[in-house]
Amino acid sequence: MQLDVAVSLIQKSKDHLISYRTTGFNDAQVSAKEICEEMNTEPALKEKRLRSTKRQFAYEAPDEPIANAMERLEVSFFNAVVDCGIQSLEDRFESLGQVRDNFGVLFNFSELDVQTLRDQCKVLEVRLTCGEESDIDGSALATEIESLPDLPQAKMTAFELLTYLSQNDICELFPNLWIALRIACTLPVTVASAERSFSKLKLIKTYMRSTMAQERLSGLALISVNPKVARDISYNDVINDFASRKARKQRF
């Protein structure tokens, strides 16, 4: 997954949730009524009597309870769930948006004027500097972007531009742009990794094999992890090798 594409998809998801918050509840009502008609069920929510409790005087008046069951469902449940999703998107991917802004000059350089282009190239140079060494030269990067040939598309992703430079064999003409694009395309979009649901160790070392030594456990684990290699092993050769090592000298 590319960094600029991922940020664009996240923004589209956020915009969809914001739009869904406005119209989604009415659409859900229509769908729920259709399902109720198919099930021969009355599409109505049970009204609950609101309890009134005495409160002490306070400068801030409490919110008035919502009597309408449908309105109460929209406010207390639907809006709360959608708002939680929107806020989670903002909190989870806030740092990803900041990283995308650091490399923004590589994604929207066609929309920038000369001075803004040079300023953002300098910012990118600072971001890619460790100690006294920098991966790119900001001034040279701005010059290379200005001297790019006519691109196939007005707006290209970082990976598409990287592919264009590689296919046309012009990487050496744009060394700083080539390095910056490679860094941008190899940045991880998320730090989440897949988790294995089943452990090979649990399948091998059961309660009946709890006293096996480390060498035997390692061997069984190797066979279990590489079953294709294990199928190609000749059992006769293994048995003969084992017998030759364990055979005792026969007395005459």
Side-chain angles (χ1 to χ4, degrees), residues 68-109:
N68 191 331
M70 191 66 68
E71 186 178 355
R72 185 167 63 249
L73 178 64
E74 179 181 6
V75 174
S76 60
F77 177 74
F78 179 82
N79 290 346
V81 171
V82 177
D83 290 342
C84 180
I86 295 173
Q87 189 62 38
S88 298
L89 277 177
E90 293 179 353
D91 296 341
R92 174 69 184 273
F93 299 104
E94 181 181 1
S95 59
L96 187 63
Q98 295 175 358
V99 175
R100 196 267 181 195
D101 293 339
N102 294 333
F103 290 86
V105 66
L106 303 177
F107 309 134
N108 57 356
F109 57 84

Side-chain angles (χ1 to χ4, degrees), residues 92-126:
R92 174 69 184 273
F93 299 104
E94 181 181 1
S95 59
L96 187 63
Q98 295 175 358
V99 175
R100 196 267 181 195
D101 293 339
N102 294 333
F103 290 86
V105 66
L106 303 177
F107 309 134
N108 57 356
F109 57 84
S110 59
E111 304 173 358
L112 304 177
D113 55 76
V114 177
Q115 187 58 41
T116 306
L117 176 64
R118 294 183 178 276
D119 293 341
Q120 292 195 10
C121 288
K122 283 292 184 182
V123 173
L124 183 59
E125 178 187 358
V126 174

Side-chain angles (χ1 to χ4, degrees), residues 203-220:
L203 299 176
I204 298 171
K205 193 172 182 179
T206 61
Y207 71 96
M208 297 181 66
R209 300 172 177 168
S210 59
T211 58
M212 72 172 65
Q214 183 64 37
E215 183 178 359
R216 182 165 182 257
L217 178 61
S218 300
L220 291 176

Side-chain angles (χ1 to χ4, degrees), residues 154-169:
K155 194 170 185 180
M156 303 174 66
T157 64
F159 185 73
E160 291 174 347
L161 184 56
L162 185 70
T163 305
Y164 173 78
L165 296 179
S166 177
Q167 291 178 349
N168 291 274
D169 295 330

Side-chain angles (χ1 to χ4, degrees), residues 10 17 54 57 60 70 88 118 144 156 175 177 187 193 195 198 215 233 238-239 241:
I10 293 170
L17 286 176
K54 291 185 178 181
F57 173 78
E60 296 181 359
M70 191 66 68
S88 298
R118 294 183 178 276
E144 293 174 7
M156 303 174 66
L177 180 60
L187 287 175
S193 58
E195 297 180 1
F198 302 98
E215 183 178 359
I233 297 176
V238 175
I239 293 173
D241 182 60

